[in-house]
Amino acid sequence: MRKEFPRLLSEGTLGPLTLRNRIVMPAMDQNNCTEDGLISDKTLQHYEDRAKGGAGLLILETSAVKWPDGATSKHQPSLSSDAVVPGLEKLAERAHKHGARMIVQACHHGRISGLDISRDVPVLVPSTPIPSFDTLGMAHNTTTEELMKMATLTGGKLPTFKEASREELEEVIEAFVEASLRIKKANLDGIEIHAAHGYLISTFLSKAWNRREDEWGGSIEKRARLLSEIVRKIRKKCGSDFAIVVRIDGHEYGIENGITSDEASTTAVIAEEVGADAIHVSAISSSGTGVGFTEGPLPWERCQYSELAKTVKSAISIPVIAVGRIEPADGERLIAENSCDFVAMGRQLLADPELPNNLINDSPEKIRPCINCFVCVAQNFWNGEPVCAVNPRLGNYEEKVEVPKKLKNVVIVGAGPSGLECARMASNRGHKVTLLEQTRSLGGTALFSSLTTPKNGELINWFERILKDSEVVIRKNFLADSKSIMSFDPDVVVIATGSQSSKSNIKGSELPHVLSRDQLKALLQEANSSEIIKGRKNLSYLLLWLGRKSGLFKNVQKIRKLSKLWMPLG
Ligand SMILES: Cc1cc2nc3c(=O)[nH]c(=O)nc-3n(C[C@H](O)[C@H](O)[C@H](O)COP(=O)(O)O)c2cc1C
Ligand code: SF4
């Protein structure tokens, strides 16, 4: 039991809270509240799944303290009236029932307040004019369909900016305090003040956005005033048994004069002095582009912000929560190295809520991997509910999993990710499952794409492990047709044969040595490979022939390595 992750799975103290382990689920919008920002059954189910899965601390997604003012979406949780308390109370019950603690991320979204923009309300910023950045940056890598969906968020309107007045800032502070009292009344365990990601407090902390010369701008101490006033007043009103976490940007990328890691450390020191119990270190890119988004807040690299967390940790004595593609082994190491005290795992807990339990039960191999594909968060750009490429339950909580009245004989054709998942689910529910695959390997296009995106290969390996322990009968090298399918006498046939790629229009793709996606995929899987090799009379032909004969194409890792030296296949 608990051999590999002694630190990650040990109890931890965060202010007044004792957490059963060091795994934190960070705030992640699910956008599934009612039109009035009230907690829905879907919201409850989402968080209960993660509480049951064993995480120590859950942080409710970003919730608007002055909803609908300063809110990004109607469907995000509201904290602005007493009507929200009963829903939050249910949330507390569902989390506590399974031994998790739960706090609420509270925010004023400042310049990114979609609901204000849609209602022609100017959005609050520290200073006008705002710094020049690529306001249409996100549009450069976006399809027309996606752009249309994005436009619905704000009714197609562009923001107008208003320099926040002293009165408006006092109102914001008061709204945070009232929100905290509601959270406390609902029996939740504390608050996370969202001072990161380009929202109102974050823009006050940033020299790039805050060029004020009054008591709210200038030195970092003055720029941190909005944050420190909020923390101080909440501590005073809510007392010492209420946890206060502050989420900050450890660095602001993509803009001149953005927040530096030294400034982030000073902000953390100030927050500690005025009563914060922990600092959660994330990051932001203010470039406004799609690529910038992977600099912050949705990192692409493993442990992308760990150094930022370490820098902050060295400046303060309260605990630090690190975040940013931290997998369990990295989390264990980061705690051991004293880079942080707690580890937030966001997308991994969307992909597999049972991650902590699998570590506790010493079965890390059972954890369904997040493939770092950004499908979930893309929904947030157009007000959708996140769905997940590997976990079909995310965003589909209304679909009841019922015990089948009659067990069926299910035949599935195609062992790509959807066929594999279908087999896993049907077998879990007790059906008799036969999975037919025409090639010698599982995974379909996902296996092929693992050449460039190894994470996809991890997913296929996971399916292989899980199905090996199941009752599913897998028939590889099986070319299914109606006759062979009917020979299994199925009650249900699922066709999961995937898609075919369209012909590339990239210049040069017609050259004889260039292979299309489908051709390369077939080669790897040895389906129709003789036909593909036939007719290629140059060096590529020889290499392809050798590759097939030597069995090289059976090993994705070897092909990946070879392709780095020389790309003979394309
Ligand atoms: C679908 C989705 C929604 C998110 N919503 C929020 C949010 O409401 N507030 C916030 O501070 N961060 C939000 N984030 C960022 C996460 O809290 C986290 O910092 C980020 O995903 C990096 O952690 P990870 O690599 O472990 O996923 C969101 C991320 C995702 C994937
Ligand atoms: S697999 Fe993709 S969609 Fe699912 S959590 Fe990970 S990044 Fe998000």
Side-chain angles (χ1 to χ4, degrees):
M1 283 283 179
R2 303 184 178 197
K3 284 180 215 134
E4 274 181 74
F5 305 96
R7 294 175 185 84
L8 195 61
L9 298 178
S10 65
E11 263 187 14
T13 305
L14 191 156
L17 309 179
T18 301
L19 305 181
R20 59 182 162 181
N21 57 48
R22 308 299 182 94
I23 301 174
V24 175
M25 180 167 92
M28 287 178 288
D29 323 61
Q30 298 307 305
N31 249 333
N32 58 17
C33 290
T34 67
E35 287 264 309
D36 305 320
L38 301 180
I39 299 298
S40 70
D41 286 346
K42 283 186 189 176
T43 327
L44 295 174
Q45 195 57 60
H46 174 76
Y47 289 97
E48 180 166 8
D49 280 5
R50 271 93 199 152
K52 206 165 149 204
L57 179 69
L58 306 181
I59 307 181
L60 179 66
E61 65 210 73
T62 179
S63 308
V65 290
K66 278 184 109 242
W67 191 102
D69 295 346
T72 43
S73 155
K74 272 189 198 164
H75 296 279
Q76 77 175 131
S78 160
L79 299 172
S80 63
S81 79
D82 290 344
V84 307
V85 175
L88 294 177
E89 221 163 12
K90 283 189 198 154
L91 210 45
E93 265 169 41
R94 299 281 191 106
H96 293 162
K97 183 164 103 184
H98 299 286
R101 297 299 204 136
M102 185 157 191
I103 63 175
V104 175
Q105 186 180 69
C107 189
H108 186 295
H109 294 84
R111 69 183 175 92
I112 312 167
S113 302
L115 269 191
D116 287 344
I117 301 168
S118 70
R119 294 175 301 139
D120 297 313
V121 175
V123 294
L124 293 186
V125 287
S127 312
T128 53
I130 60 162
S132 70
F133 76 106
D134 192 355
T135 40
L136 295 177
M138 210 51 95
H140 301 320
N141 311 107
T142 309
T143 65
T144 315
E145 193 196 343
E146 287 166 343
L147 275 176
M148 302 282 281
K149 287 203 263 176
M150 278 179 180
T152 58
L153 196 63
T154 58
K157 296 175 185 168
L158 291 175
T160 51
F161 299 96
K162 176 170 191 309
E163 195 164 299
S165 66
R166 179 175 301 170
E167 293 69 34
E168 281 163 332
L169 292 174
E170 294 297 346
E171 274 178 29
V172 169
I173 295 169
E174 207 38 49
F176 268 95
V177 176
E178 283 177 17
S180 307
L181 290 168
R182 291 187 185 108
I183 294 166
K184 186 167 174 160
K185 195 167 167 200
N187 205 23
L188 283 154
D189 300 296
I191 190 170
E192 177 175 81
I193 296 162
H194 201 344
H197 300 177
Y199 299 127
L200 188 66
I201 304 177
S202 161
T203 50
F204 267 81
L205 290 168
S206 165
K207 270 199 303 290
W209 293 88
N210 183 350
R211 284 169 280 102
R212 297 169 79 110
E213 291 176 353
D214 59 5
E215 67 272 38
W216 308 94
S219 65
I220 180 64
E221 287 75 15
K222 286 182 166 177
R223 280 182 274 134
R225 180 181 168 143
L226 178 59
L227 171 65
S228 60
E229 287 291 298
I230 290 170
V231 177
R232 196 196 315 273
K233 292 200 170 156
I234 293 176
R235 178 57 75 217
K236 192 161 168 227
K237 287 276 178 160
C238 292
S240 57
D241 60 343
F242 187 74
I244 303 179
V245 177
V246 174
R247 190 171 222 200
I248 59 170
D249 298 309
H251 196 95
E252 184 180 15
Y253 300 96
I255 201 164
E256 216 177 307
N257 281 327
I259 297 164
T260 64
S261 53
D262 280 349
E263 287 175 338
S265 297
T266 308
T267 303
V269 170
I270 294 170
E272 177 175 7
E273 279 167 7
V274 292
D277 292 310
I279 305 292
H280 190 167
V281 185
S282 183
I284 175 68
S285 165
S286 287
S287 73
T289 61
V291 174
F293 196 66
T294 65
E295 285 177 323
L298 260 287
W300 169 252
E301 301 287 348
R302 267 172 66 186
C303 298
Q304 197 164 310
Y305 308 141
S306 305
E307 282 302 310
L308 303 179
K310 193 174 175 183
T311 306
V312 170
K313 173 126 181 86
S314 65
I316 56 177
S317 58
I318 50 175
V320 163
I321 306 173
V323 72
R325 274 204 73 198
I326 304 177
E327 293 183 5
D330 294 321
E332 181 67 22
R333 176 179 53 79
L334 292 173
I335 298 173
E337 290 170 2
N338 206 26
S339 295
C340 65
D341 303 276
F342 294 90
V343 175
M345 298 182 194
R347 286 164 287 174
Q348 287 130 110
L349 286 167
L350 296 184
D352 190 351
E354 288 290 322
L355 180 153
N357 281 344
N358 278 321
L359 296 180
I360 292 164
N361 297 331
D362 222 9
S363 324
E365 73 288 350
K366 288 197 180 150
I367 297 170
R368 176 170 36 202
C370 159
I371 57 172
N372 199 29
C373 64
F374 297 85
V375 162
C376 47
V377 76
Q379 295 296 321
N380 287 158
F381 285 94
W382 42 79
N383 215 4
E385 294 174 31
V387 288
C388 175
V390 304
N391 175 8
R393 186 162 160 78
L394 188 78
N396 289 306
Y397 297 107
E398 68 279 26
E399 293 201 9
K400 295 274 168 283
V401 181
E402 280 166 6
V403 181
K405 291 194 183 81
K406 174 179 175 266
L407 293 180
K408 293 185 178 165
N409 182 12
V410 181
V411 172
I412 300 167
V413 184
S418 52
L420 292 165
E421 177 62 13
C422 183
R424 188 186 74 85
M425 281 238 192
S427 170
N428 276 354
R429 291 180 196 176
H431 300 294
K432 176 174 179 242
V433 179
T434 309
L435 178 60
L436 307 178
E437 168 56 42
Q438 70 163 328
T439 70
R440 62 173 155 71
S441 36
L442 304 183
T445 304
L447 177 70
F448 167 65
S449 68
S450 70
L451 260 180
T452 54
T453 316
K455 275 271 160 201
N456 293 354
E458 282 180 32
L459 177 68
I460 303 308
N461 294 341
W462 175 79
F463 271 120
E464 281 183 355
R465 287 195 297 274
I466 296 295
L467 292 183
K468 211 157 105 195
D469 288 344
S470 76
E471 302 283 310
V472 175
V473 175
I474 301 178
R475 303 279 299 269
K476 293 181 190 169
N477 294 313
F478 190 104
L479 192 62
D481 57 17
S482 52
K483 197 167 158 220
S484 59
I485 292 172
M486 291 320 284
S487 71
F488 292 97
D489 194 20
D491 298 310
V492 176
V493 177
V494 179
I495 305 294
T497 47
S499 59
Q500 284 211 323
S501 63
S502 51
K503 210 163 171 255
S504 164
N505 56 6
I506 298 172
K507 201 167 160 228
S509 57
E510 71 292 348
L511 294 172
H513 63 281
V514 178
L515 295 169
S516 71
R517 183 199 84 163
D518 287 341
Q519 286 171 325
L520 187 51
K521 184 176 144 195
L523 266 175
L524 282 176
Q525 296 172 330
E526 275 189 0
N528 307 323
S529 54
S530 313
E531 276 103 281
I532 296 164
I533 294 173
K534 219 164 40 189
R536 289 173 191 267
K537 297 201 169 33
N538 48 25
L539 189 58
S540 306
Y541 168 84
L542 181 65
L543 286 162
L544 291 170
W545 184 81
L546 277 174
R548 198 165 67 109
K549 279 282 165 211
S550 65
L552 173 75
F553 293 157
K554 288 191 177 134
N555 188 321
V556 175
Q557 277 100 343
K558 281 191 189 153
I559 300 177
R560 196 181 299 133
K561 225 171 179 176
L562 187 66
S563 73
K564 298 238 164 79
L565 301 171
W566 181 41
M567 189 68 205
L569 301 178

